[in-house]
Amino acid sequence: MIVSKNDIPSFLDKLIGEYQVFAPVQEGSYTLFKQICSGADAALTDGNTKLPAKEIIFPQSEKLFSYNVTAEGAKLESIIDDRKKVVFGVRPCDAKSLTLLDNVFNNDKYQDPYYLTRRANTILVGIGCNSPASTCFCTSVKGGPFDTKGLDLLLVDIGDAYVVEVVTEKGKTLIDNAGFASASEADKAAAAKAKDEAQVTCQVNTDGLKEKLDVNFYDPIWEKIHEKCLGCGACTYLCPTCHCFDIVDDAVDCNGCRVRNWDSCAFPLFTLHGSGHNPRTSNKERYRNRIMHKFKYFVDNFGEIACVGCGRCIKNCPVNMDIRVVLEDVRGSEARLDS
Amino acid sequence: MKNPYLPLPVKLVKNFTETEDKLIHTFTLQFLSEEDEKSFPYMPGQFAELCVFGKGEAPFGIASSPTEPGFLKFSVAKVGVVSTALHLMEEGTMVGVRGPLGNYYPVEEFKGKNVVIIGGGFAFTTLRSLATYMLHPDRRGDYGDITVIYGARNPGLLLYKEELAAWEQSPDINLITTIDRPVEGWNGRVGFIPAVTEEVAPSAENTYAIICGPPVMIKFTMPVLEKLGFPAERIIMSLENRMKCGIGMCGRCNVGGKYVCKDGPVFTRAQLNELPNEY
Ligand SMILES: Cc1cc2nc3c(=O)[nH]c(=O)nc-3n(C[C@H](O)[C@H](O)[C@H](O)COP(=O)(O)OP(=O)(O)OC[C@H]3O[C@@H](n4cnc5c(N)ncnc54)[C@H](O)[C@@H]3O)c2cc1C
Ligand code: SF4
Ligand code: SF4
Ligand code: FES
């Protein structure tokens, strides 16, 4: 199928009646995913949004339940968001990140009803990346600029129109009555060409990386790697696969809510014990944990690397820590130490 | 879908000052209904998140044993927001309990074996649960000798004095208590846990050792157990990494790829030897 770019706003307007629709919206010099009230607000520009689409499914701050406690008992009410949502214009890397997070929030013992309900009620409409940024390295972590993993529909930009590829049944229902025309052979060829020409220029060699991480926990290389890191946590807040959170109460006396907020393993208090003992005393242990978690522990637990190569942590680190360089350093740790 | 974040409301029926320094209180909690109690089936070694509505929640080991129906017990050191709020709480107040969480001591594996329980300081909570469980008349026959080596800085800091007195008299359990320095009127042993363990020298033959206490105590007791011939598979520990969710999602408590809340808190020394020492 095919849809002209000019028809996108009216298509979104129709969806807005039935769904909460989220799309990239221009905010100064960058774009952010926001709920839109009008299809015209969607800014489907090149490149990734400043923050990942993750927060639509796993908000930065979210009420889990409200409570009202008296001497006789406690009335608790879960606050579960089951509204139907469409995320329009999500990039393949962000869509894939949700498939990784699914493992966490639906683990071998527990299900998280907040995340899973939102996830089940959300349709992800992706736009492939014709011109990936210099910081993108999705192809090095088993993704790609037109990868459909996690998506329900994929749009391929062929100039003044998008060729629409149906990925799931869920995606199909969204366009069943949209009145899109069938894509001609020429349109399909144009889409194939766009896919072909998209160049992820940056390649990170991950050969042997896991094997290295399996054995180098105590390697002196970690003393050097973290040196620049300030422990500000920006990389973790911007990362589509990071999922750490804190749980706090927001209440006046016995009436209130329990709330969860994003947290970060980059912070010293994150692991501080009540006794004062802290198993990760410095940025060295904390930065190492971030790398280990993404490239070893997650692989051990779920068989996949927990990085989608979106490059946000590279673009936004205040001291220019570059995860690509870190991975190269880790891979070459023995050679470096020998010299 | 069951919501693992929702606590069960429970009534605080007793707020007991456990230690002389008043820093540890033991709380007895009662479920509001039998149905609630049934929905909380636990085993020795498991923990729960205790919630003080308006203040938040924190994880604590369950000190009571499933063989003691009708209530839950927790012993809590006053260190921060939730624990302080609990300490100040009046009897009859409503709090919340979320769990049971984590794995438990492998009591099935202990069958037909001797068990040595080694505890230091106020980490004795889930060890009390374990000892009480095994001493229950229906179960005592399942196990061989049960030895408890339990130490505190001074006699006033020992927890569960009533139970200790009863165990002292019981032929079913061999209790050795110790304090760091001599005190007038103390008839038990004097000395640190590692040294006392070496003196008592429990036989490693057909025996499991369960050890819980501050990191230094564990660090120095471990070589003693090894010298006595305990293999790493039969040394059992309980970790206390900082936790929030308790269900393997908040990412806080990992040791390597394992989450203490979900894969632990109980691990064998052999399992820990495979993991980085971030605990
Ligand atoms: C499996 C498990 C079992 C446990 N069992 C028990 C038990 O049976 N009994 C028991 O007493 N404890 C137990 N603990 C420890 C207990 O969970 C902690 O002591 C608990 O977090 C206390 O909660 P709190 O809200 O009172 O403390 P918090 O307010 O969370 O404070 C905890 C510590 O962190 C420090 N801290 C917090 N915020 C800051 C800050 N902003 N800046 C600097 N420092 C800060 C505090 O000074 C304090 O030392 C257990 C822990 C685990 C994981
Ligand atoms: S953004 Fe950069 S400085 Fe901040 S925690 Fe991440 S790596 Fe360290
Ligand atoms: S680690 Fe960096 S590049 Fe990888 S997914 Fe997270 S933010 Fe993107
Ligand atoms: S406490 Fe959240 S992962 Fe263990």
Side-chain angles (χ1 to χ4, degrees):
Chain A
M1 278 202 252
I2 187 153
V3 54
S4 146
K5 285 188 178 172
N6 291 333
D7 292 339
I8 292 286
S10 62
F11 171 62
L12 291 175
D13 283 336
K14 267 186 244 152
L15 295 181
I16 286 168
E18 198 182 339
Y19 300 90
Q20 286 186 302
V21 177
F22 296 82
V25 167
Q26 196 73 36
E27 287 270 319
S29 61
Y30 52 81
T31 53
L32 277 179
F33 273 98
K34 288 208 163 159
Q35 188 180 350
I36 55 169
C37 310
S38 158
D41 293 342
L44 304 175
T45 49
D46 257 357
N48 238 324
T49 48
K50 180 94 172 175
L51 280 162
K54 168 180 83 177
E55 66 176 331
I56 299 165
I57 312 290
F58 172 46
Q60 180 161 7
S61 180
E62 123 175 76
K63 287 178 182 167
L64 300 178
F65 57 88
S66 65
Y67 51 77
N68 178 285
V69 184
T70 62
E72 283 70 49
K75 216 173 93 202
L76 306 175
E77 251 171 88
S78 299
I79 304 171
I80 297 203
D81 171 11
D82 60 1
R83 289 169 294 184
K84 286 160 65 182
K85 301 180 202 323
V86 170
V87 184
F88 193 89
V90 65
R91 300 287 163 177
C93 55
D94 276 9
K96 182 183 171 196
S97 76
L98 294 173
T99 69
L100 298 170
L101 293 179
D102 290 347
N103 293 302
V104 175
F105 290 106
N106 187 4
N107 66 37
D108 52 355
K109 282 195 188 163
Y110 298 98
Q111 283 83 46
D112 183 296
Y114 303 94
Y115 174 94
L116 294 174
T117 306
R118 280 207 194 80
R119 187 81 168 92
N121 287 310
T122 302
I123 299 180
L124 296 171
V125 183
I127 297 182
C129 303
N130 292 32
S131 41
S134 62
T135 41
C136 293
F137 59 102
C138 57
T139 51
S140 305
V141 284
K142 297 211 170 101
F146 292 89
D147 192 24
T148 55
K149 194 153 188 242
L151 288 175
D152 298 298
L153 292 173
L154 173 69
L155 308 188
V156 182
D157 187 341
I158 56 164
D160 42 20
Y162 295 109
V163 170
V164 184
E165 293 179 13
V166 174
V167 184
T168 65
E169 269 308 303
K170 216 165 144 187
K172 189 166 172 292
T173 55
L174 200 70
I175 54 165
D176 266 348
N177 301 314
F180 294 168
S182 306
S184 67
E185 286 310 313
D187 297 333
K188 285 184 196 160
K193 185 159 174 277
K195 284 188 182 182
D196 241 26
E197 283 177 356
Q199 288 286 334
V200 176
T201 49
C202 173
Q203 302 297 330
V204 182
N205 191 347
T206 52
D207 287 349
L209 175 66
K210 168 70 165 63
E211 290 70 21
K212 209 59 171 240
L213 291 173
D214 281 342
V215 296
N216 81 345
F217 188 86
Y218 300 103
D219 195 309
I221 190 77
W222 297 108
E223 305 282 351
K224 290 198 187 145
I225 282 179
H226 77 98
E227 268 176 346
K228 279 198 297 186
C229 174
L230 306 167
C232 70
C235 52
T236 61
Y237 281 87
L238 294 168
C239 178
T241 69
C242 277
H243 58 81
C244 291
F245 60 83
D246 194 12
I247 302 176
V248 296
D249 276 29
D250 180 7
V252 177
D253 298 328
C254 288
N255 291 301
C257 292
R258 189 147 295 154
V259 179
R260 79 164 152 205
N261 301 311
W262 289 356
D263 202 343
S264 170
C265 68
F267 299 150
L269 292 181
F270 190 68
T271 48
L272 181 67
H273 290 198
S275 63
H277 169 66
N278 194 340
R280 293 191 205 121
T281 37
S282 76
N283 278 349
K284 174 184 123 184
E285 289 83 13
R286 300 192 274 271
Y287 193 81
R288 175 174 59 193
N289 181 66
R290 180 160 195 269
I291 298 296
M292 285 282 180
H293 180 229
K294 292 191 179 302
F295 298 93
K296 169 172 164 56
Y297 306 152
F298 209 88
V299 183
D300 284 339
N301 288 336
F302 306 118
E304 286 185 272
I305 286 176
C307 164
V308 292
C310 72
R312 288 188 180 91
C313 61
I314 304 166
K315 258 193 246 172
N316 297 290
C317 173
V319 292
N320 297 323
M321 284 282 272
D322 186 327
I323 196 164
R324 298 168 297 183
V325 176
V326 170
L327 296 179
E328 283 298 339
D329 280 354
V330 168
R331 271 185 69 249
S333 60
E334 242 163 53
R336 282 192 156 212
L337 294 168
D338 286 348
S339 63
Chain B
M1 205 182 309
K2 194 168 178 281
N3 186 343
Y5 295 96
L6 278 186
L8 279 173
V10 282
K11 189 172 268 195
L12 183 109
V13 292
K14 194 161 177 200
N15 177 348
F16 175 73
T17 306
E18 189 74 50
T19 53
E20 232 165 57
D21 63 4
K22 301 190 169 57
L23 291 179
I24 314 266
H25 284 200
T26 294
F27 301 97
T28 308
L29 307 173
Q30 238 161 32
F31 293 100
L32 301 189
S33 68
E34 234 172 84
E35 200 185 317
D36 282 359
E37 187 177 351
K38 272 212 202 93
S39 70
F40 196 96
Y42 71 97
M43 290 293 280
Q46 286 195 285
F47 68 98
E49 290 276 346
L50 273 189
C51 348
V52 177
F53 294 105
K55 296 290 180 192
E57 51 180 13
F60 299 99
I62 305 174
S64 50
S65 154
T67 53
E68 304 171 296
F71 60 87
L72 291 176
K73 257 186 212 280
F74 295 90
S75 296
V76 173
K78 186 172 162 185
V79 297
V81 178
V82 173
S83 51
T84 304
L86 279 167
H87 274 233
L88 298 173
M89 202 156 260
E90 280 172 28
E91 293 170 0
T93 312
M94 211 57 73
V95 294
V97 63
R98 177 157 79 80
L101 300 168
N103 66 355
Y104 45 90
Y105 296 117
V107 286
E108 286 299 314
E109 265 179 58
F110 294 170
K111 284 188 175 166
K113 309 279 198 310
N114 304 317
V115 175
V116 180
I117 293 173
I118 304 170
F122 73 88
F124 198 67
T125 58
T126 57
L127 297 179
R128 176 202 179 276
S129 174
L130 176 65
T132 308
Y133 180 87
M134 292 194 300
L135 286 173
H136 190 271
D138 291 351
R139 293 212 168 64
R140 181 62 188 91
D142 290 346
Y143 310 101
D145 294 341
I146 299 175
T147 305
V148 170
I149 302 172
Y150 175 30
R153 248 180 301 143
N154 61 59
L157 297 183
L158 287 167
L159 308 181
Y160 315 128
K161 297 193 184 60
E162 260 177 42
E163 280 86 346
L164 296 183
W167 295 351
E168 192 78 54
Q169 305 300 322
S170 167
D172 286 338
I173 181 169
N174 175 24
L175 172 70
I176 296 115
T177 44
T178 179
I179 57 169
D180 290 357
R181 263 171 226 90
V183 171
E184 220 172 296
W186 174 254
N187 304 318
R189 290 187 191 240
V190 175
F192 294 111
I193 300 263
V196 172
T197 307
E198 196 158 7
E199 271 169 49
V200 174
S203 160
E205 175 106 26
N206 201 31
T207 306
Y208 275 86
I210 299 104
I211 173 163
C212 213
V216 277
M217 169 209 135
I218 290 177
K219 185 171 161 213
F220 289 107
T221 309
M222 218 37 86
V224 175
L225 290 176
E226 277 156 17
K227 212 163 99 190
L228 290 169
F230 283 88
E233 292 74 26
R234 280 195 271 118
I235 301 176
I236 290 170
M237 297 168 57
S238 183
L239 302 189
E240 283 210 356
N241 268 9
R242 193 173 179 91
M243 294 180 185
K244 265 296 165 178
C245 72
I247 55 176
M249 293 174 188
C250 77
R252 191 169 307 262
C253 69
N254 72 300
V255 178
K258 299 280 178 216
Y259 288 99
V260 176
C261 62
K262 182 169 78 66
D263 304 309
V266 175
F267 294 94
T268 64
R269 183 72 233 168
Q271 287 169 327
L272 293 180
N273 286 343
E274 303 288 308
L275 297 175
N277 66 350
E278 286 189 333
Y279 49 86

